[in-house]
Amino acid sequence: MLFYVIGACVLVFGIVLAYGAITGRVKLDDGCCCPSDPSRDLRMRE
């Protein structure tokens, strides 16, 4: 029984994630939250 509940949760999460990706609400980025350009990020300047 527990196996079905966990499986259903994973399936629903996958469907929601796929729907968000199709509609453009979920975007895959490189995972970094700050710009890597030193001219745009004052913390990288020396």
Side-chain angles (χ1 to χ4, degrees):
M1 178 70 181
L2 182 64
F3 178 74
Y4 293 119
V5 172
I6 293 172
C9 290
V10 170
L11 184 64
V12 168
F13 179 74
I15 291 171
V16 169
L17 190 62
Y19 179 75
I22 291 170
T23 59
R25 294 185 177 129
V26 177
K27 295 180 182 177
L28 297 176
D29 290 335
D30 59 355
C32 185
C33 63
C34 63
S36 59
D37 185 10
S39 66
R40 294 177 55 200
D41 190 357
L42 297 177
R43 296 173 294 173
M44 296 178 71
R45 291 185 183 172
E46 289 186 324

